[in-house]
Amino acid sequence: MGAPSNNKTSEAKTRIDALSKALSKMQSTTGDATRCCDQLSKRAHQLDSLTSPASGASSMLSRANNNLAATLVLMKDAREKFDTVTDCEPAIDHLHKGVRDMEEKRALQGGRKKVTRRGVVLSEQDVYAASDSMEILRDAYDYFVQRRNWTSAPIAINGLERCFKMGVEAMCLLVTSHLMSAGPGVRSKRGPKKIDASTETAAQTRERLSAALKNRDLLKSIGDYEENQPVEARQIREIRAIFECLGSHGYSLGPMSNREPPGLTAVFNVPPARVIRTEKVGSGCYTKLTKQPLKTGFPQLDAYGEARMQVAFSAIDSYYRRIKNDRKKKLEKQAAADGAVIDDADEADVAARDAVRCLENAMLIVAGEKNIFRAVVTPIISRDADEEDETALAPYLKKAGVAAYSHAVASVVDRVLDIIETVFLKEGGIGQSSGSKGDSTTGLTVSAAASAAAAGLRILDGVRMLGPSLAKLCEMPVGDGTTGANTTIASTLCIAIHRTTVKNAARTLENLAKAIQEDPLKGHLHRPPDASVSSVTTDTIRAIRLVSPFVSAYKSISKRRALPWDPNMGEEAGELDSFVRFLVMRLLNSLKGKALNYVRDGRDDSQAKSNLFLINNCFFLLEELGQDSSMGYNGPIDSEHYRIDGSWFIDKVNKILESEKTKYLGHWEILNTHLTAIGKDELEFQKSETLLTVESGRLLKNRFSGFNDDFERTSALHQKLCVIDPRLRAQMQQEVKQVFIPRYERFYHKYKKYRFSKKKQENYTKYSPQKIEEVIRELYTAPVR
């Protein structure tokens, strides 16, 4: 039992010893390893101390390399920006020189001089190149504005501004050149004319315009022009490219301004009270408002507005001058052929026709300008920015475009306004007096005043019918929600045309009434020596006939102005008949004054002249203006068929006529004083029953001789008087005979059979009733010249 146990113990001891040796060896190895690690650590520290400076330097070098690369990129970019002016100026300078040469050639050709120098010829690509250069300049400007701290930045900015300014100037000059050389937006109508507006009557003009308005083809039925697009396709593309380049904030360097340009105030919301005449009559301009420079804040739109203003104004001005010269030559030719002096009345009528023709053609010119605006400007100022397009339109670009359009067409409306008022002031004579205070050869005569009134109503008729359409053509929507389409100066001038025409036409009517009232009372021209129809009567009748076709035009005046004969306004205003009545009453007062002046002459025939003068004139009035059922005319009212419907006219004029007839026939009643019967007891006979005694014979001698003397004297006085109308003459002769001839026949036949004179009885009875009638038939036949 003991041996196995010892074996196990020795085996365990052996293992313990082995483990002890292994542990001792491990301790020795660990010590060696620790020492080796310490040595490695020391060597690592030594190596680290040797390699750390090289690593820092390497890192710094890397950072420096990166910085240097960035600097090189920045310097390259900066150098390109600094070279912007050098790179872009040639394209802009080329455009500038090319436009200058174009303008020089156009000026020389306008002066009809031969152009030999070719100069710089621009292509469409040159315009696009200049537009691109302007965009590059704007980007470079923004670049340097962000780097103002650079020493060279101010110099670069100045160079960019100079070059950009030259580019804007060149582009605006090109816009001006294209739009000026294109000419007006109208051309002469082709084909035969249906009617000559220079000779048509007021009714024809009204009928033509009414038909055109109803059929909505007004612009095809008026004037001597038709619309035409004068701007060529290439010019439109180039102008659009310029507007696109300058149309947003690119019209100036720097950011867009959100403030409205102050120059727009002169175009929009101009009070009507400011539209007054500031320029000389006939100077071609009515108000200085249209001559102020256009300053919208957008130079390209200013160039467009100024250029089209000159073209449009030249179109209407040259048209008016041409028809005015044609009118003058025609009248001079007619006067030379007839050997007569040119009538001022005809001048007023023809001038009024020309004014209406100018109004018609002004509408066509404005319509042409509207077409050009829509083709050139509208696509740019009304475009919607795309999502990919970061370029936004300037806030007031569209309003500025409308202002430029208004500036162009306002000159046309202003010229028409000047033409119309010139007709009123010169041919219409509204600035002249019309009284009897001065010489009869000065002032405004009834005839001239009548022509002026008719001319004024003719113009007003045209303005009344065409004015709304002209105002519509001048309108242009802004679309900003606050500015109306009819608030521009052009629309205000359209209102001024109607207002001024109404005012001046009213003055012509007042002048006509005043001329009739104050027609000179003295002189053969106004108070004929033969007591026939006065010139004021014929002139007044002519005046009434001249104004009678313009019923609507007169109503347009009376509704807006209080008149001396009609203080009511609006719907309460009177019709044309009230004015006619006023004229007739003024005429009757004038005739009564002239008749009274006959009496004041103190001559033997003065009272008879006074009576017959009123008879002649009243009868003439009734014949010319009174109702005549025998004519049976039911057509439209015109100058040939106008009749006064009111019973007042017949009653008033007839009352004067019958009263003056009674007074006039009283001059012949004196003859009846010699025709009273003689009692039988007063007649004593001698030896024969037929031979009266000397006393009784003397009684009959006195009766016959008294009758003969009074008849000769009366008939001689009345023989100088004249009744032009044959019906009135026959009527007056008959009524004169009825005054005394029936009584004379009885007296003559009763007492002729008695012998009351032995030797000269034939001298006393020389006027038989038949002889008396022959003498009376010779009365009122020959006017005294």
Side-chain angles (χ1 to χ4, degrees):
M1 290 295 295
S5 169
N6 292 331
N7 292 334
K8 291 182 179 177
T9 301
S10 61
E11 185 179 356
K13 187 177 180 182
T14 302
R15 292 181 178 177
I16 290 171
D17 293 338
L19 287 172
S20 296
K21 290 178 181 179
L23 180 64
S24 176
K25 189 176 181 178
M26 182 180 297
Q27 289 177 347
S28 175
T29 304
T30 303
D32 295 338
T34 300
R35 287 191 297 271
C36 184
C37 286
D38 290 338
Q39 292 176 358
L40 288 174
S41 178
K42 289 179 182 179
R43 292 177 180 177
H45 283 297
Q46 292 176 355
L47 182 62
D48 183 61
S49 64
L50 293 174
T51 58
S52 291
S55 298
S58 177
S59 178
M60 291 178 62
L61 287 174
S62 297
R63 290 195 297 269
N65 182 55
N66 293 335
N67 291 336
L68 182 59
T71 302
L72 290 174
V73 172
L74 182 63
M75 290 179 64
K76 182 180 179 181
D77 190 29
R79 181 167 182 174
E80 290 178 355
K81 299 299 183 184
F82 277 113
D83 292 339
T84 299
V85 173
T86 304
D87 295 337
C88 296
E89 189 170 12
I92 294 175
D93 185 62
H94 181 74
L95 178 67
H96 195 275
K97 289 181 179 179
V99 176
R100 288 292 186 187
D101 287 343
M102 288 173 59
E103 286 294 290
E104 183 180 350
K105 290 178 182 179
R106 188 165 63 85
L108 292 174
Q109 290 173 352
R112 295 186 178 181
K113 294 183 179 179
K114 186 176 181 181
V115 180
T116 57
R117 187 172 63 86
R118 180 176 177 83
V120 178
V121 178
L122 293 177
S123 66
E124 191 171 348
Q125 293 302 319
D126 292 332
V127 179
Y128 296 143
S131 299
D132 294 339
S133 297
M134 296 289 283
E135 294 293 333
I136 296 172
L137 289 173
R138 187 184 63 187
D139 293 340
Y141 181 84
D142 293 340
Y143 177 86
F144 284 111
V145 165
Q146 298 173 8
R147 297 165 176 78
R148 287 185 180 272
N149 56 335
W150 288 8
T151 305
S152 301
I155 299 176
I157 290 175
N158 290 336
L160 292 170
E161 289 176 343
R162 176 188 61 79
C163 191
F164 190 88
K165 182 179 179 181
M166 182 174 65
V168 172
E169 180 183 355
M171 288 183 170
C172 292
L173 283 174
L174 183 59
V175 171
T176 300
S177 179
H178 282 340
L179 295 176
M180 289 285 292
S181 60
V186 291
R187 64 185 179 188
S188 297
K189 281 185 176 178
R190 300 176 181 179
K193 296 181 180 179
K194 295 182 179 180
I195 190 168
D196 185 1
S198 64
T199 58
E200 66 183 358
T201 64
Q204 289 173 326
T205 301
R206 211 164 31 246
E207 181 180 357
R208 173 170 60 85
L209 296 181
S210 297
L213 289 168
K214 290 178 181 178
N215 298 330
R216 297 183 179 181
D217 60 349
L218 180 63
L219 296 180
K220 296 180 180 179
S221 305
I222 63 173
D224 300 326
Y225 291 142
E226 62 183 3
E227 294 179 66
N228 177 50
Q229 175 56 270
V231 188
E232 297 178 357
R234 174 188 165 181
Q235 294 174 331
I236 292 178
R237 290 195 300 270
E238 291 182 359
I239 294 173
R240 285 185 182 179
I242 292 172
F243 281 15
E244 185 73 34
C245 175
L246 304 179
S248 58
H249 65 282
Y251 64 91
S252 63
L253 292 174
M256 289 186 294
S257 174
N258 291 324
R259 299 181 62 183
E260 180 176 343
L264 295 181
T265 307
V267 180
F268 289 93
N269 298 314
V270 178
R274 286 186 59 191
V275 183
I276 58 175
R277 177 172 283 283
T278 59
E279 309 302 309
K280 184 179 178 181
V281 175
S283 62
C285 180
Y286 181 83
T287 174
K288 63 182 180 182
L289 294 175
T290 59
K291 298 302 178 184
Q292 295 178 356
L294 182 62
K295 296 180 180 180
T296 64
F298 298 83
Q300 72 276 21
L301 291 176
D302 292 344
Y304 159 81
E306 293 290 353
R308 294 314 302 174
M309 182 272 289
Q310 295 183 44
V311 175
F313 176 84
S314 177
I316 187 64
D317 185 63
S318 60
Y319 175 79
Y320 174 66
R321 293 181 184 276
R322 176 169 59 82
I323 63 174
K324 187 177 180 180
N325 290 333
D326 292 344
R327 179 217 316 172
K328 183 178 180 180
K329 292 178 181 178
K330 183 177 180 181
L331 290 176
E332 290 177 349
K333 184 178 180 180
Q334 182 180 356
D338 299 340
V341 180
I342 298 175
D343 190 359
D344 292 339
D346 294 337
E347 274 286 298
D349 181 64
V350 177
R353 296 171 191 269
D354 290 349
V356 176
R357 293 171 66 189
C358 286
L359 179 61
E360 294 182 28
N361 286 281
M363 291 182 61
L364 294 164
I365 293 171
V366 172
E369 290 304 313
K370 201 163 194 175
N371 288 337
I372 294 174
F373 179 84
R374 287 171 174 169
V376 175
V377 184
T378 301
I380 303 302
I381 66 173
S382 300
R383 69 174 177 84
D384 296 327
D386 299 331
E387 295 181 358
E388 298 178 357
D389 185 6
E390 299 179 356
T391 303
L393 294 177
Y396 293 97
L397 178 63
K398 187 170 184 179
K399 189 172 185 179
V402 174
Y405 171 74
S406 172
H407 183 76
V409 299
S411 64
V412 179
V413 184
D414 179 75
R415 183 66 178 106
V416 173
L417 180 56
D418 176 62
I419 291 170
I420 289 175
E421 189 165 81
T422 300
V423 174
F424 278 108
L425 291 172
K426 291 188 176 180
E427 286 84 3
I430 61 175
Q432 300 181 28
S433 62
S434 57
S436 58
K437 299 178 182 179
D439 186 3
S440 61
T441 60
T442 62
L444 199 61
T445 65
V446 177
S447 178
S451 297
L457 291 173
R458 177 186 285 273
I459 294 174
L460 180 56
D461 220 11
V463 170
R464 183 182 60 85
M465 300 184 74
L466 299 177
S469 297
L470 177 61
K472 192 70 177 177
L473 288 170
C474 290
E475 292 179 2
M476 184 69 68
V478 177
D480 58 1
T482 57
T483 307
N486 58 347
T487 59
T488 61
I489 181 63
S491 297
T492 305
L493 284 171
C494 290
I495 299 174
I497 285 184
H498 189 271
R499 186 183 70 246
T500 303
T501 305
V502 168
K503 178 189 70 175
N504 290 333
R507 290 181 63 183
T508 62
L509 297 180
E510 294 171 6
N511 282 349
L512 174 57
K514 187 177 180 181
I516 294 173
Q517 180 179 359
E518 299 182 356
D519 185 72
L521 301 178
K522 298 180 180 180
H524 296 303
L525 179 63
H526 304 277
R527 188 163 56 91
D530 56 7
S532 60
V533 177
S534 173
S535 61
V536 69
T537 303
T538 57
D539 288 344
T540 302
I541 293 172
R542 172 179 173 270
I544 292 174
R545 286 177 172 171
L546 286 177
V547 302
S548 63
F550 302 101
V551 178
S552 299
Y554 176 83
K555 188 66 176 179
S556 183
I557 296 174
S558 61
K559 287 176 65 175
R560 292 166 177 81
R561 294 183 67 87
L563 300 168
W565 55 89
D566 184 13
N568 298 322
M569 296 175 63
E571 297 302 325
E572 301 296 326
E575 302 291 340
L576 181 62
D577 293 341
S578 63
F579 178 58
V580 172
R581 179 169 183 168
F582 186 77
L583 295 184
V584 171
M585 299 306 293
R586 287 293 176 272
L587 172 63
L588 294 177
N589 289 337
S590 177
L591 293 175
K592 290 178 181 178
K594 290 176 171 59
L596 183 61
N597 264 23
Y598 279 115
V599 179
R600 291 172 178 169
D601 289 343
R603 298 172 58 180
D604 294 339
D605 61 347
S606 295
Q607 187 62 58
K609 281 185 175 181
S610 175
N611 302 138
L612 191 61
F613 173 75
L614 288 175
I615 293 171
N616 270 321
N617 285 273
C618 288
F619 183 85
F620 188 69
L621 274 174
L622 290 171
E623 287 295 303
E624 295 296 320
L625 296 178
Q627 287 293 332
D628 188 356
S629 57
S630 64
M631 292 183 65
Y633 181 78
N634 296 318
I637 296 176
D638 59 24
S639 60
E640 296 298 327
H641 300 96
Y642 181 79
R643 293 291 184 269
I644 298 177
D645 295 331
S647 60
W648 66 267
F649 177 72
I650 302 296
D651 296 342
K652 182 70 176 179
V653 180
N654 253 337
K655 183 178 179 180
I656 298 175
L657 176 63
E658 296 303 324
S659 174
E660 294 303 320
K661 270 188 180 181
T662 302
K663 294 177 184 178
Y664 176 78
L665 295 176
H667 297 292
W668 296 90
E669 286 285 351
I670 191 175
L671 300 179
N672 288 327
T673 61
H674 305 287
L675 304 178
T676 56
I678 301 174
K680 292 183 178 181
D681 57 345
E682 295 183 66
L683 296 178
E684 297 180 358
F685 296 92
Q686 296 183 7
K687 300 176 182 179
S688 172
E689 294 183 356
T690 59
L691 181 61
L692 296 176
T693 63
V694 174
E695 292 297 326
S696 297
R698 185 176 296 115
L699 184 62
L700 286 177
K701 287 179 182 179
N702 289 339
R703 295 291 181 87
F704 274 103
S705 64
F707 175 85
N708 292 342
D709 291 342
D710 284 345
F711 177 72
E712 289 174 353
R713 183 176 61 256
T714 302
S715 61
L717 291 175
H718 291 241
Q719 190 71 43
K720 299 177 182 178
L721 307 181
C722 178
V723 177
I724 297 178
D725 189 277
R727 289 172 295 175
L728 178 61
R729 185 188 308 128
Q731 181 182 344
M732 291 300 299
Q733 290 170 351
Q734 184 64 29
E735 293 188 13
V736 167
K737 288 191 292 184
Q738 291 298 325
V739 171
F740 68 94
I741 285 186
R743 184 177 293 186
Y744 180 70
E745 285 181 336
R746 293 191 297 271
F747 183 88
Y748 183 83
H749 291 301
K750 180 177 181 180
Y751 296 109
K752 180 185 179 183
K753 61 185 179 181
Y754 298 110
R755 290 191 61 195
F756 51 84
S757 177
K758 294 181 180 180
K759 299 180 180 180
K760 299 181 179 180
Q761 181 156 339
E762 292 78 8
N763 293 338
Y764 293 103
T765 60
K766 61 183 178 179
Y767 288 112
S768 65
Q770 294 77 16
K771 181 67 174 178
I772 294 291
E773 290 187 1
E774 290 177 2
V775 173
I776 292 176
R777 279 196 296 270
E778 297 298 323
L779 291 177
Y780 322 125
T781 56
V784 177
R785 298 298 181 187

